Amino acid sequence: MKIKGIKRLRGEIKVPGDKSISHRAIIFGAISKGETIVSNILLSEDTLKTIQCFIEMGIEFNIDEKNNRIKIFGKGLNGLKEPKKPLNCGNSGTTMRLLSGLLVGQKFKSRLIGDSSLNKRPMDRVIVPLTKMGGNIKGVNNKYPPLDIEPSEKLNSIVYELPVASAQVKSAILLASIYSNRRSIVIEKKVTRDHTERMFEYFQKNDFVGSELYVPGDISSAAFFIVAATIIKGSNIVLKDVGVNQTRTGIIDVLIQMGAKIEIKNIRIVNNEPIGDIYVSYAPLKGIVIDEDLIGRLIDEIPILAVAAAFAEGTTIIRGAEDLKFKESNRIESIAKELKKMSVDISPLSDGLIINGGKKLNPAKVCSHRDHRIAMALSIAALAIEGESEILDSQWVNISYPNFYDIICAIK
Ligand code: S3P
């Protein structure tokens, strides 16, 4: 994809439904009894993988791709069937980790497989607690996919302190606990997204009977345009109906600390999740040291935050983000390597990045490292740099934001 620098960004941008909430809506809909209708759901490569896994387990769906609406014909907590083939999670860590929790509680065996990126991502973080609960789950070298799951006699409850801050691990334990004898407790020292807890409560109140859900816009997708409007002079945008759950809004807090002009209006609660309209206009930024306790609230936004830091006066230091090495790519290495090609003064650290911002940047040919968030972060940098850049392997945006380039191409 070739992208030229733009003069300004104006108007209203509709971001797709939240990826994390969409995965969870599919899972909870499938194990509830009866029809669940999910509107504004994200239908991207990752979430379609979760849907396909449930189709393999006998769940039927009506999918209206044009209107981002699905109907799930849920079969209840014990209604899933043994899949005839391995469940393919593709590139999606959320699919694999959340389903591993759900599947250890089933009365049938299953196998979870992934693509070459997912095959390198650590699964011991779910294998360890699920095994402690009595689950029968094995990976390659006890660490990597494919994951093989056999039914176990019974699952026990667990009190588990998360060694790595991870919402996926927390969610795997919570999903397994549905099939265990007693209440489990997960202790997290650092905040991670709480969508599973919120949706759990929403469906539990309804006795796991199918219901209706609206998925808020994805703050992680909105973040790309929030940063674009912040760093490109003369910009002024509004992003309507975006999820503004506190466990996800670290990016907004940090950008405001850096000097950004961002306002959230019209906050309301829909299906247990806060939603709001985000107004952003251009503002000069200054570098900051990011508080390590904030990392869990902006873990997916660090690539685009690095872009914002490149346009800020002074130094930005990001630490405590070691887990970025284990995402769809090693995001510390990939963002540092590619932004350097655009003349950014950026250095990778073992657990973060140092960016000396405010220098003149140049267009370049850069590569996504087959990582959707790296592709989009680099595309926003390209929009803010005079001249034409090229993003190689840009099609990976389809993992979370299939119409990202339609929006970029429509900018006047
Ligand atoms: C997610 C949790 C985070 C995040 C991922 C989605 C989720 O991963 O990076 O994109 O939906 O629970 P970790 O749990 O590995 O931190």
Side-chain angles (χ1 to χ4, degrees), residues 9 11-19 22 39-43 67-68 214-228 237-244 248 275-278 280 373 376 380 400-404 407-408:
L9 180 62
E12 190 175 317
I13 298 170
K14 172 100 180 90
V15 293
D18 188 276
K19 181 156 83 70
S22 297
S39 51
N40 201 41
I41 188 165
L42 171 70
L43 294 172
N67 296 305
N68 300 309
Y214 173 86
V215 179
D218 196 326
I219 181 105
S220 297
S221 298
F224 297 106
F225 293 106
I226 294 174
V227 169
I237 60 162
V238 55
L239 301 141
K240 290 247 173 90
D241 307 326
V242 180
V244 289
R248 298 284 297 282
I275 298 188
D277 302 333
I278 304 177
V280 192
R373 298 204 198 278
M376 291 187 275
I380 298 301
S400 64
Y401 201 155
N403 66 337
F404 178 76
I407 293 172
I408 300 277

Side-chain angles (χ1 to χ4, degrees), residues 10-54:
R10 292 227 165 133
E12 190 175 317
I13 298 170
K14 172 100 180 90
V15 293
D18 188 276
K19 181 156 83 70
S20 293
I21 298 177
S22 297
H23 282 297
R24 288 154 172 84
I26 298 161
I27 296 172
F28 280 100
I31 59 169
S32 294
K33 248 203 157 69
E35 291 175 19
T36 290
I37 295 172
V38 190
S39 51
N40 201 41
I41 188 165
L42 171 70
L43 294 172
S44 69
E45 283 187 7
D46 267 14
T47 52
L48 288 170
K49 282 286 185 295
T50 299
I51 290 179
Q52 191 55 41
C53 289
F54 282 100

Side-chain angles (χ1 to χ4, degrees), residues 20 24 94 97 125 165-168 193 299-300 323 327:
S20 293
R24 288 154 172 84
T94 309
R97 296 200 178 112
R125 56 183 64 190
S166 165
Q168 294 175 353
R193 63 197 67 193
I299 187 74
D300 289 341
D323 217 42
K327 297 291 177 187

Side-chain angles (χ1 to χ4, degrees), residues 325-337:
K325 290 182 183 163
F326 311 111
K327 297 291 177 187
E328 287 82 332
S329 71
N330 174 340
R331 287 187 176 156
I332 295 180
E333 294 298 334
S334 42
I335 198 67
K337 183 170 175 201

